Amino acid sequence: MTSSDPVLVDLGAAIDAALAAADLPPVDDPAFERPRDPDHGDWASTLALRLAKPARMAPRAIADAVVAHLDLPDAVASVEIAGPGFLNFRLSDDHNATMVRDILARGRALRPVERTGERINVEFVSANPTGPLHIGHGRWAAVGDAVAELLAAVGHEVVREYYVNDAGGQVVTFGETLVLTARGEVLDDHHYQGRYVTRVATQLRADWGDEIFEEEGPGDLPGWVAALGGEAVDDTDAPHGSAGDGTGRMSHRLALRVGILGAEVMRQRLEGTLHDLGVDFDTWFSERRELHDTDAVADTLADLEAAGATYVEDGAVFLRTAEHGDDKDRVLVRANGVPTYFAADCAYLRNKFARADHLVYILGADHHGYVARLKAAAACLGHPPDALEARIGQMVNLLRDGEPAKMSKRAGTFVELSQVVDEVGADVTRYHFLRSGLDTALDFDLARVAEQSMDNPVYYVQYAHARISSLLRTADERGFDHGTPGEADFTRLVHPAEADLLRELDKVDEVVAAAAELRATQRLTRYAEDLAATFHRFYTECRVLVDDVELGRARYHLAAAARQVLADVLGLLRVSAPDRM
RNA sequence: GCCCCCGUAGCUCAGUGGAUAGAGCACCGGCCUCCGGAGCCGGAUGCGUAGGUUCGAUUCCUACCGGGGGUACCA
């Protein structure tokens, strides 16, 4: 991973040569790492410690031998042995100057990467279009979006995808709910609850008129659906599940028609909420249009059967998922002949694999039980186990002043994601979620986040960016002669705060690579905060616009490079990088 | 019962086998004639418990304790 760093490639080669010259066994990995303590240099290697046992020598003796034979590349100024046998390397002025100039010359923090050609599909959120998004969806939205951005940054072809569950019994139930609401009738327990239902009903009435809620509505159902850009559906029965408990208060046909239209209204609202959070999907995949209005499910069942992955028992068709790590085999087609939801999922998997080489799912912990059968289904379809990657995120506890904010739809105290974004802002919301690893169950305290808004970490980072922008503006206003980066003499940067900033800037490529590899957005937020802190210290201790023009020029370009890196890191997180705040 | 995740500072969270375990918030004390004080500097406390692997464990393994989530011919 870090071996893509040209410095480490050269240094690794030099170490290999030194090991050979010293008659020491080769190592497969020099084990480079960034020391925590700046006194330990820019890079360290623990190979002497690791080699102690196989070489049957003291680590320090190994380190001595390596150093004695080591021919340092130009980018490395010095090496010293420290502690039990660490090799500590220090980058050269030449390397640092080149690093700063490269960032400014390309106008981009990151070194160019080679395109991998790998098509990666990242699916996240995918909440049902029968209700609003909650705070947890916001987390998957922020993380999925940033992970997608990271994967693109390291050279993959990335698609952000949202799977819309706009078919099945839930849509019929949603339709029933809307019709009853429009009529002012009471709802049953199984119906959807919440103020949003009224809003959707109102929207439908505005779009289509009151007749939409009547049994003999204008036009045929296929026509209504066609108006949405979809294909006709069979409206005479319930092919994808049953409708509620059959209240008998309206026809299935009516419930389905209103449910489909309502789901589309709802989906647009979800899209809007996500957009407000800065998340825009490439693909909104309609289950109904892509899977049920086509032969996708039947074709998939045929494929699975042809592969010998299915069998019939008690009249139902089972998929042999247990052979691929699932707890038990799963039903594809019920004994009554109706395909299960899982069958549609298999069809969706098949569709996805036709479009992508690698599938990433960002899922909530409440869906973790689904992963085994999904991976098993992928295996049954003939795909390698690693081609499907499920990232399970832990839940978000929404609090207000330390007290759980009741997420009861029934009681009407349900807090929607859109409210949170309105209340605390998109940047703050996103950054809060991106700051933690997926494995951590998070608290999101509305009162606290809002209250701390002025001291929020995201502002700390953004402020650093705005401060540099202001600095560069002021320099221009005063006619400061900054010259070009190529003319600047970066050897003038000898202050500890300057050295710290150079060292921090040098890390950006590896931080991004590691964050992408691990799908760990918190690596980026931490780095952004470290970099901002390093800059603020530099800014406090080293005045840029000084009379000593040579020194001022070097500092000016150093600051400009820092701004570029901050801007690009925030860009990867899809958090804004303001020039003024 | 079985499966997954977590337990690190008063609070929210970083730390994918390395050197003295970090940041923000909160608390106390300093720093603006000077490029933005939304900033900087200084100050206290911590790896749930017990074993194991390793030159080295917050990190890997086992057990236990505590918390969260999941275990459909539902969608």
Side-chain angles (χ1 to χ4, degrees):
Chain A
M1 190 158 48
T2 48
S3 63
S4 64
D5 186 329
V7 173
L8 297 187
V9 171
D10 292 348
L11 189 54
I15 285 175
D16 287 344
L19 285 171
D23 273 335
L24 286 164
V27 291
D28 49 356
D29 181 5
F32 290 117
E33 57 188 41
R34 291 281 190 176
R36 222 190 304 269
D37 186 342
D39 289 343
H40 296 147
D42 299 307
W43 283 107
S45 168
T46 57
L47 87 150
L49 301 176
R50 295 167 192 275
L51 218 46
K53 198 165 194 180
R56 309 222 291 192
M57 289 174 62
R60 300 261 336 184
I62 296 172
D64 283 334
V66 170
V67 169
H69 292 86
L70 192 57
D71 184 16
L72 290 175
D74 292 341
V76 180
S78 66
V79 57
E80 59 188 50
I81 302 165
F86 291 98
L87 293 178
N88 292 337
F89 302 96
R90 208 165 289 278
L91 293 167
S92 66
D93 289 342
D94 193 43
H95 170 269
N96 287 331
T98 302
M99 186 260 301
V100 171
R101 286 179 183 133
D102 284 352
I103 289 171
L104 294 173
R106 70 172 89 101
R108 208 162 169 262
L110 300 176
R111 285 191 297 266
V113 295
E114 290 189 17
R115 307 305 303 175
T116 63
E118 185 174 19
R119 299 170 300 169
I120 301 184
N121 180 296
V122 185
E123 186 198 327
F124 51 106
V125 186
S126 295
N128 288 343
T130 52
L133 299 174
H134 56 65
I135 189 71
H137 293 126
R139 183 178 190 179
W140 318 139
V143 171
D145 193 39
V147 165
E149 198 67 18
L150 277 167
L151 292 172
V154 297
H156 304 300
E157 308 298 323
V158 178
V159 167
R160 293 169 171 80
E161 185 151 318
Y162 190 118
Y163 182 59
V164 186
N165 293 117
D166 54 0
Q170 60 186 346
V171 172
V172 176
T173 301
F174 191 44
E176 284 178 10
T177 306
L178 291 168
V179 171
L180 293 174
T181 299
R183 291 176 179 170
E185 295 185 26
V186 292
L187 299 175
D188 296 337
D189 282 351
H190 73 278
H191 287 129
Y192 292 91
Q193 313 286 333
R195 289 184 296 266
Y196 76 95
V197 172
T198 307
R199 292 199 290 265
V200 173
T202 302
Q203 181 71 46
L204 285 179
R205 182 177 286 117
D207 290 347
W208 303 94
D210 277 322
E211 316 89 270
I212 188 69
F213 299 113
E214 293 166 9
E215 286 292 347
E216 302 303 326
D220 295 326
L221 179 59
W224 289 98
V225 176
L228 296 170
E231 298 298 314
V233 296
D234 180 356
D235 63 331
T236 58
D237 61 9
H240 319 308
S242 59
D245 60 358
T247 56
R249 288 194 268 175
M250 72 190 77
S251 72
H252 181 273
R253 175 193 175 92
L254 172 61
L256 181 59
R257 176 219 292 162
V258 174
I260 287 173
L261 294 172
E264 174 56 19
V265 168
M266 200 63 224
R267 191 202 64 76
Q268 287 173 8
R269 298 177 74 98
L270 304 184
E271 185 170 6
T273 297
L274 290 164
H275 178 77
D276 290 342
L277 188 58
V279 179
D280 297 292
F281 285 85
D282 300 304
T283 304
W284 290 82
F285 190 96
S286 165
E287 176 187 1
R288 176 171 53 79
R289 285 199 301 272
E290 304 292 340
L291 301 181
H292 299 298
D293 292 352
T294 69
D295 298 325
V297 175
D299 290 349
T300 302
L301 292 174
D303 279 5
L304 290 170
E305 186 179 349
T310 65
Y311 63 91
V312 177
E313 189 175 294
D314 297 333
V317 179
F318 284 77
L319 186 65
R320 300 182 192 277
T321 53
E323 291 180 4
H324 301 283
D326 197 6
D327 295 334
K328 59 184 179 185
D329 291 337
R330 304 288 170 172
V331 175
L332 286 171
V333 184
R334 299 181 182 87
N336 65 9
V338 179
T340 61
Y341 189 87
F342 182 56
D345 279 349
C346 290
Y348 181 38
L349 257 187
R350 180 170 172 273
N351 180 297
K352 266 187 171 177
F353 272 121
R355 295 180 285 130
D357 306 304
H358 186 77
L359 309 184
V360 177
Y361 290 77
I362 309 285
L363 298 171
D366 52 343
H367 285 82
H368 117 267
Y370 201 65
V371 174
R373 85 192 63 165
L374 207 56
K375 291 179 87 81
C380 289
L381 286 165
H383 300 285
D386 293 344
L388 191 160
E389 169 188 342
R391 296 283 165 167
I392 306 300
Q394 299 303 308
M395 310 305 273
V396 178
N397 302 310
L398 189 67
L399 309 173
R400 194 182 282 281
D401 280 327
E403 294 298 317
K406 293 287 191 299
M407 296 296 279
S408 166
K409 295 181 182 179
R410 180 64 48 83
T413 54
F414 184 86
V415 180
E416 300 183 13
L417 174 61
S418 57
Q419 296 172 253
V420 174
V421 174
D422 285 347
E423 192 169 327
V424 303
D427 282 347
V428 170
T429 304
R430 290 185 67 111
Y431 197 86
H432 182 78
F433 287 137
L434 296 173
R435 236 178 149 226
S436 300
L438 277 176
D439 284 342
T440 303
L442 269 190
D443 284 351
F444 193 104
D445 192 316
L446 282 167
R448 192 160 301 164
V449 171
E451 184 177 291
Q452 290 176 357
S453 63
M454 294 308 275
D455 291 306
N456 196 288
V458 70
Y459 291 128
Y460 181 80
V461 177
Q462 290 178 318
Y463 179 62
H465 183 270
R467 210 179 196 187
I468 303 175
S469 298
S470 171
L471 169 64
L472 303 185
R473 276 197 306 271
T474 302
D476 284 346
E477 286 163 13
R478 295 186 185 176
F480 181 79
D481 180 18
H482 51 72
T484 67
E487 294 167 340
D489 178 7
F490 292 106
T491 63
R492 295 295 305 277
L493 303 177
V494 294
H495 191 283
E498 295 165 335
D500 287 346
L501 189 49
L502 285 167
R503 185 177 14 255
E504 208 60 30
L505 294 178
D506 192 57
K507 292 179 184 172
V508 63
D509 288 289
E510 72 214 49
V511 169
V512 170
E517 178 79 22
L518 300 168
R519 286 78 162 116
T521 59
Q522 74 275 18
R523 297 275 181 137
L524 279 190
T525 57
R526 290 288 155 181
Y527 173 70
E529 287 164 40
D530 288 346
L531 177 55
T534 309
F535 173 78
H536 285 310
R537 220 172 296 128
F538 158 79
Y539 186 86
T540 301
E541 299 193 24
C542 302
R543 197 177 159 72
V544 174
L545 306 180
V546 290
D547 292 336
D548 180 343
V549 177
E550 286 301 318
L551 180 60
R553 283 181 169 184
R555 286 178 174 173
Y556 177 95
H557 295 297
L558 175 61
R563 185 173 80 125
Q564 186 68 54
V565 174
L566 282 169
D568 288 354
V569 170
L570 287 173
L572 288 170
L573 298 170
R574 300 205 141 199
V575 170
S576 66
D579 291 323
R580 290 187 171 83
M581 327 182 31

